[in-house]
Amino acid sequence: MSDQIKHECGIAMIRLRKPLQYYIDKYGSPSYVSNRLYVLMQKQINRGQDGAGVANIKINTKPGTRYISRYRSIESQAVNFIFDKIQKKYKKARKLGGDEALFDAEWLKENIAFTGEVWLGHLRYGTHGENSIETCHPFLKQNNWRSRNLVMAGNFNMTNVEELFGKLVDLGQHPKEKTDTVTVMEKIGHFLDEENQRIFDKYKLQYTNEQITAVIEDELDVARILRRSCRDFDGGYAMAGLIGNGSSFVVRDPSGIRPAYYYADDEFVVVASEKPAIKSAFDIDFKEIKEIQPGHALVINKDASFGEYEIMPAREKKSCSFERIYFSRGTDPDIYRERKNLGKALIPQILKAIDFDLKNTVFSYIPNTAETAFLGMIEGIEDYLSAKRREVLLEGKPHLEDLEELLNFRPRVEKLVSKDVKLRTFITNDSDRDAMVANVYDTTYEVVRSGIDTLVVIDDSIVRGTTLEKSILTTLDKLNPKRIVIVSSAPQIRFPDCYGIDMSKMKEFIAFRATIQLIKDRGMHSLLDQVYSKAKEGDVLKHNYVKGLYEPFTDQEIADKIAEIITSEDISAEVKVIYQTVDNLHKACPDHLGDWYFTGNFPTPGGMRVVNKAFVNFMEGKAIRAY
């Protein structure tokens, strides 16, 4: 993606199902499990580079022993920083007790932090607000009762934080912050406390307080806690939690917006946001990795038994298609295939845009995530050529090309765009900064025939169009092509996202800006007023009134206006822009139909409210988030 956006965070969890000594003896290292978590997190580093955190809980420790450990960091290499500190704990163990102590699980648990059976890791992309240690997950809610402690980390955004905050106040709480992370943790923490109290009241006449503590830890109904906690949540979420007694959970939103996968055997239960991370860390087949179902929670009890339980009734599955287009690693075989299919699906539009003149067309891509869609695009061109040859040779259809040339022709493929990762656009003066941005990308010279060739360059998506306008088109135009065709493997981004991606202000979307310009060009100013009035006064929980802005225009009309906007006076070549269709997106990614940023079909009422509010903010000149 040429336009940088920040997006979903990543979670990683490991629960040991056998005593710690078993792993030390079998794998010959006290740090084997922490190393597995390190791999899980490094393989998801694409999901968050603003910060990271790790928490660990020891089960069945003696009173007076610290049993919860946590490190968080906002260093530039946060994951490495954290695990370097954890490794120092093992060095400390050797220094204090020698090799014998280092391989003694009981001694480690009594004396060394991060030697527990339950691990939780988090990678953070800050979609808004400050980036500080305090904003890094996991968050911790502490209590002197072990079973009332709660550690939480998640990949989520809530659209109804104000409402949730109000419910906490109604319960008599005094939350310290009005953020979705704190609000969610306090709400789950409240019902965790109530579950503790319920079990205490049940047995208070039968046991001493000390005895009841053990009973509570064994009888906690985590699924019940989550059912009571999550019923008011509106948003996209995959939330992981550890309870001080050793129980843990990962709960997923009813629409399956945010991803969560797990693997379980007799040694481990492992959870991550992406399947390739689990495969890499534990060297297993992809078919052994399961998806946590929408509206369900994977619950792991203190005794290491586990199950998947319905928490909220599942809605129509609308898992985020941007995961497939851009966010998740392409090493997942399903994602790799889907991205190639996205490239193939664009062939009819591309051929039309180049007037079917493959001989004078050079194909390329914008690195790095568009590479797989590019491979699919080239396969699609090869398929088209094979079909043409079949028509000529087998069906005897007439053709203009020389037969020998037709048989030997291959699409022209070049790497035209390279990103200079060392270049920083730190200059604050606007004109100087624009000049610097133009040099962020470099190009390969003397492979394009001046004034003859058309360049077809694919990107995985076009959000703001800023980098295209300021850098990529300028770079490509230096090659003096006849025409530049920019291709997006994703449809036009028309609406804000409120479930995890940093796309909240409508005026930043190039498709929205183009539509507003079309409205003004055609003297349709009253349409803006009509939509504004409905978005402000209508039933905003049921209707996305902003859709009405796009209805008078075809996709191509908007794409043509986008091409006009991003083409500065200094560009000599003709510029065209092609977008994926929503229908082809769904065909390429049939199991991931979340498309609200393209279609405006938000899966929750809170999403509808956000899109209407975002447009009201635009009309009122407010450069603020709508949630």
Side-chain angles (χ1 to χ4, degrees):
M1 182 179 290
S2 53
D3 291 322
Q4 182 188 15
I5 64 171
K6 296 182 178 182
H7 50 87
E8 294 93 340
C9 301
I11 55 175
M13 189 169 78
I14 299 176
R15 168 63 199 268
L16 306 187
R17 303 194 70 204
K18 294 181 183 294
L20 179 61
Q21 191 65 52
Y22 168 88
Y23 303 90
I24 295 175
D25 294 341
K26 178 173 180 178
Y27 297 104
S29 171
S31 60
Y32 174 79
V33 181
S34 67
N35 290 342
R36 296 308 94 204
L37 186 71
Y38 172 75
V39 175
L40 277 178
M41 294 179 70
Q42 280 290 9
K43 291 297 182 180
Q44 298 183 100
I45 203 71
N46 53 299
R47 305 189 70 84
Q49 296 170 35
D50 288 338
V54 170
N56 178 255
I57 288 182
K58 303 172 185 178
I59 300 176
N60 290 328
T61 57
K62 298 174 183 177
T65 303
R66 186 179 294 274
Y67 57 95
I68 300 178
S69 307
R70 178 181 62 159
Y71 280 150
R72 297 180 292 175
S73 173
I74 55 171
E75 298 289 326
S76 59
Q77 300 289 329
V79 174
N80 287 339
F81 180 82
I82 288 171
F83 281 91
D84 283 346
K85 291 183 69 174
I86 292 174
Q87 284 299 317
K88 289 178 181 177
K89 298 296 182 183
Y90 299 111
K91 293 178 181 178
K92 177 183 176 182
R94 174 172 271 135
K95 184 177 180 180
L96 290 176
D99 287 344
E100 183 177 342
L102 185 63
F103 290 87
D104 183 338
E106 185 175 349
W107 186 91
L108 287 172
K109 288 184 65 174
E110 287 182 2
N111 295 279
I112 302 298
F114 292 97
T115 55
E117 296 87 349
V118 196
W119 292 82
L120 177 61
H122 184 264
L123 297 133
R124 179 176 189 268
Y125 253 133
T127 54
H128 67 286
E130 64 177 359
N131 191 40
S132 65
I133 286 288
E134 288 72 25
T135 58
C136 280
H137 302 198
F139 278 39
L140 175 59
K141 187 176 187 292
Q142 294 181 287
N143 193 285
N144 237 19
W145 285 51
R146 196 159 55 183
S147 55
R148 290 176 184 253
N149 283 275
L150 179 63
V151 182
M152 283 202 64
N155 168 16
F156 63 90
N157 265 2
M158 296 297 170
T159 69
N160 63 334
V161 175
E162 292 281 349
E163 177 186 339
L164 295 174
F165 183 86
K167 288 183 180 292
L168 290 176
V169 174
D170 291 342
L171 290 169
Q173 293 193 21
H174 191 87
K176 62 181 180 179
E177 292 181 50
K178 193 182 289 186
T179 63
D180 51 5
T181 305
V182 171
T183 304
V184 164
M185 185 177 70
E186 293 296 343
K187 195 162 191 292
I188 294 175
H190 169 79
F191 288 107
L192 173 62
D193 288 343
E194 285 206 348
E195 177 69 6
N196 273 266
Q197 190 64 46
R198 181 184 70 84
I199 301 172
F200 178 84
D201 292 342
K202 179 179 177 182
Y203 292 108
K204 64 184 179 182
L205 300 180
Q206 301 178 41
Y207 301 107
T208 66
N209 285 358
E210 185 176 355
Q211 291 171 328
I212 290 178
T213 295
V215 173
I216 290 173
E217 291 192 2
D218 291 335
E219 288 198 13
L220 274 183
D221 188 340
V222 178
R224 183 175 188 270
I225 295 168
L226 294 173
R227 289 188 188 103
R228 301 183 73 198
S229 305
C230 298
R231 57 192 174 195
D232 299 318
F233 292 169
D234 187 300
Y237 53 86
M239 296 184 291
L242 314 181
I243 299 172
N245 71 323
S247 298
S248 55
F249 63 87
V250 177
V251 60
R252 197 172 177 209
D253 67 84
S255 300
I257 295 170
R258 299 274 71 85
Y261 301 92
Y262 76 97
Y263 163 74
D265 59 22
D266 61 347
E267 293 185 359
F268 304 98
V269 180
V270 185
V271 181
S273 296
E274 296 189 29
K275 290 190 291 183
I278 300 176
K279 176 175 175 56
S280 296
F282 290 88
D283 192 25
I284 58 173
D285 292 334
F286 276 105
K287 64 183 178 182
E288 298 181 76
I289 302 171
K290 299 179 180 180
E291 182 178 9
I292 298 176
Q293 294 305 302
H296 285 61
L298 177 69
V299 175
I300 310 162
N301 300 308
K302 180 184 176 182
D303 64 1
S305 61
F306 70 93
E308 196 172 345
Y309 303 92
E310 183 180 85
I311 303 303
M312 298 283 290
R315 305 188 189 105
E316 181 182 3
K317 189 179 178 185
K318 292 289 185 179
S319 48
C320 176
S321 56
F322 250 121
E323 288 281 352
R324 325 303 288 183
I325 297 166
Y326 169 64
F327 295 148
S328 294
R329 287 198 174 217
T331 49
D332 183 314
D334 292 332
I335 292 176
Y336 184 78
R337 181 174 57 253
E338 290 164 8
R339 288 180 183 173
K340 289 185 73 174
N341 288 338
L342 287 169
K344 284 183 180 180
L346 289 157
I347 296 306
Q349 293 167 264
I350 292 171
L351 290 172
K352 184 178 179 181
I354 65 173
D355 300 322
F356 294 84
D357 183 10
L358 291 172
K359 186 186 301 183
N360 297 312
T361 300
V362 178
F363 295 91
S364 192
Y365 63 95
I366 298 171
N368 287 319
T369 52
E371 184 176 2
T372 307
F374 169 76
L375 294 176
M377 179 178 71
I378 297 304
E379 279 191 16
I381 293 294
E382 293 280 12
D383 291 344
Y384 167 77
L385 289 170
S386 294
K388 292 293 291 183
R389 294 182 187 113
R390 187 164 51 248
E391 288 179 358
V392 171
L393 296 176
L394 299 182
E395 300 175 23
K397 289 189 177 181
H399 62 95
L400 299 176
E401 303 88 348
D402 177 78
L403 185 57
E404 185 72 20
E405 183 181 13
L406 179 64
L407 291 173
N408 294 325
F409 182 79
R410 293 291 182 272
R412 295 169 60 195
V413 173
E414 303 288 354
K415 185 170 183 179
L416 296 178
V417 180
S418 301
K419 191 169 186 179
D420 190 343
V421 294
K422 297 178 182 178
L423 199 61
R424 296 288 184 267
T425 54
F426 55 85
I427 298 174
T428 56
N429 178 272
D430 287 344
S431 59
D432 287 343
R433 184 172 59 246
D434 287 349
M436 290 293 287
V437 169
N439 289 284
V440 169
Y441 286 91
D442 204 352
T443 188
T444 305
Y445 291 93
E446 298 187 10
V447 295
V448 174
R449 292 174 298 176
S450 177
I452 298 173
D453 288 336
T454 292
L455 308 184
V456 174
V457 182
I458 190 169
D459 197 354
D460 42 33
S461 58
I462 303 169
V463 185
R464 303 177 183 94
T466 307
T467 308
L468 279 175
E469 179 182 359
K470 303 293 185 184
S471 181
I472 293 171
L473 283 178
T474 301
T475 300
L476 293 173
D477 195 58
K478 292 176 183 178
L479 301 174
N480 197 29
K482 173 185 175 183
R483 180 188 300 144
I484 301 171
V485 181
I486 300 295
V487 182
S488 170
S489 70
Q492 296 171 8
I493 297 170
R494 299 180 172 187
F495 304 93
D497 182 59
C498 51
Y499 304 124
I501 308 171
D502 183 21
M503 300 193 305
S504 55
K505 299 169 186 173
M506 295 196 67
K507 71 174 185 178
E508 295 182 351
F509 307 146
I510 187 66
F512 177 76
R513 287 163 50 203
T515 302
I516 295 299
Q517 192 59 53
L518 284 170
I519 289 171
K520 292 178 179 178
D521 290 347
R522 301 185 187 183
M524 301 167 62
H525 297 81
S526 61
L527 177 61
L528 293 173
D529 296 330
Q530 292 169 13
V531 173
Y532 171 66
S533 177
K534 292 178 181 178
K536 194 165 186 176
E537 306 295 341
D539 190 347
V540 297
L541 291 176
K542 290 185 178 180
H543 300 288
N544 176 0
Y545 297 109
V546 185
K547 283 185 178 183
L549 298 175
Y550 297 97
E551 289 173 356
F553 312 109
T554 66
D555 291 355
Q556 193 56 54
E557 284 177 315
I558 296 173
D560 290 343
K561 180 57 70 172
I562 290 171
E564 182 182 318
I565 290 172
I566 64 175
T567 305
S568 69
E569 295 180 357
D570 297 329
I571 301 297
S572 301
E574 176 192 1
V575 176
K576 290 187 176 183
V577 176
I578 292 173
Y579 281 91
Q580 187 71 262
T581 68
V582 173
D583 285 345
N584 281 338
L585 169 69
H586 291 169
K587 290 175 184 176
C589 310
D591 298 321
H592 301 269
L593 302 178
D595 61 5
W596 51 90
Y597 19 69
F598 307 129
T599 64
N601 298 327
F602 288 81
T604 75
M608 293 292 191
R609 177 173 54 204
V610 165
V611 65
N612 287 299
K613 180 63 175 176
F615 181 67
V616 169
N617 287 344
F618 166 78
M619 291 293 288
E620 295 178 355
K622 297 177 180 177
I624 58 175
R625 289 160 50 89
Y627 61 99

